[in-house]
Amino acid sequence: MGLLRYTTYRFAQAIPVLIGISILTFVLANLTPGDPVRLMLQGVEADQEMIEQIEAQYGLDRPLYERYLDYMAGLVQGDMGHSFHRNRSVSQLIASRIGPTLLLVLSAYAFALVTSIPLGIIAAKRRNEPFDHVSRIIALIGVSTPSFWIGIMLILIFAVQLGWLPSAGLVYPWWSPETYGHDGYVEHFVETIRHLLLPMIALGTLQMATLMRVERTQMIESLQGEYVKLARAYGVPERTILRKHAFQVAQLPIITIVGLNLSTALGGAVLTEFVFNINGLGRLFYDAIVQLDYQVIMGITMIIATMFVIGVIITDIAYAYIDPRVTYGEAE
């Protein structure tokens, strides 16, 4: 099966999954106790007639299944609906908030990959030596510690006590330096890194610890393989064996974890954004849940679900590039 046909097939498989997620989210959001109209009118004197008018305006007086079908009909056309509380389209709200979240998640993944793979390889090469024991302790702490707690500790140490790094907000690299009063792009880049460093480490530590443990295990297994023993018997240098033979095969589980843990990273971004006062999708999602803003809840859920599905499909496709034994076989 060719790459294009395989990709089309996997996207077709994802459609029922996304429909199921949309149904579940829509039902749960609308069955949550509370009245979104009364929440919207808090502090405003409103009689029953005004409440009924607003409910009719947003279609809240219609049966649940009709509202869902209307929502899906609009979603197919690219319309995610309108926010009750912000009087803006959901598409505009998500577009204004998705940048900081993507910047945070992608930088956290970059931090995790850049640190975990070298550390995992070194730990495998020095198995049962002091470095290996220390790396396993670090990995255990990283897996066991919530990202928000790590964020709080980083703020207390590096922002409050030492004063080296800022404790809140992000500097967006896509905005001009003049927006922040920076003298040129060099200062703008440096401030972007300074503001991103702490939330990036807080969110990426869990991913780093998980990937490091898997990398170590897979490298140990690869280095004990028959093909590695044969290469050593032929006198192939150890560095070549490590780079060309053991390393490439050991990356398949890493690709799987990177693709599947995207949802974990997006979920962790919600708490990380709160700790570091970042106005991303996580903050918007939390506010929408508190305010029972159904359209915003649905929009963000569908965006995250779509990103996760795309990540899984990219992971499957990347398999064939890493391991030639993996092919785009016939439909499962």
Side-chain angles (χ1 to χ4, degrees), residues 241-252:
I241 292 174
L242 192 67
R243 187 180 71 252
K244 285 192 173 182
H245 299 283
F247 176 76
Q248 188 172 356
V249 176
Q251 301 318 300
L252 281 175

Side-chain angles (χ1 to χ4, degrees), residues 171 176-191:
V171 173
S176 65
E178 292 77 13
T179 307
Y180 299 97
H182 297 159
D183 295 328
Y185 286 96
V186 174
E187 182 184 356
H188 188 55
F189 176 76
V190 171
E191 287 302 314

Side-chain angles (χ1 to χ4, degrees), residues 45 51 59 69 146 279 283 288 319:
E45 293 186 8
I51 293 174
L69 293 176
N279 289 319
R283 292 285 298 265
Y319 261 54

Side-chain angles (χ1 to χ4, degrees), residues 102-120 138-139 142-143 147 150-151 154 158 165 193 196-212 254 258 265 272:
L102 287 178
L103 177 63
L104 177 60
V105 171
L106 293 177
S107 63
Y109 260 114
F111 162 75
L113 290 170
V114 167
T115 55
S116 63
I117 292 178
L119 290 175
I138 293 174
V143 171
S147 59
I150 295 175
L154 290 174
F158 293 101
L165 296 169
I193 298 300
L196 186 60
L197 203 57
L198 294 186
M200 174 187 73
I201 295 173
L203 182 60
T205 298
L206 172 60
Q207 313 301 328
M208 181 270 291
T210 304
L211 292 174
M212 183 169 64
I254 298 296
V258 168
T272 305

Side-chain angles (χ1 to χ4, degrees), residues 231-292:
R232 284 174 176 155
Y234 275 101
V236 178
E238 193 67 23
R239 180 173 296 181
T240 303
I241 292 174
L242 192 67
R243 187 180 71 252
K244 285 192 173 182
H245 299 283
F247 176 76
Q248 188 172 356
V249 176
Q251 301 318 300
L252 281 175
I254 298 296
I255 294 175
T256 304
I257 292 173
V258 168
L260 296 180
N261 276 16
L262 180 60
S263 59
T264 305
L266 289 169
V270 175
L271 295 176
T272 305
E273 287 176 5
F274 260 91
V275 172
F276 290 94
N277 194 28
I278 298 171
N279 289 319
L281 279 184
R283 292 285 298 265
L284 181 63
F285 192 52
Y286 173 81
D287 291 341
I289 292 174
V290 171
Q291 297 165 348
L292 297 179

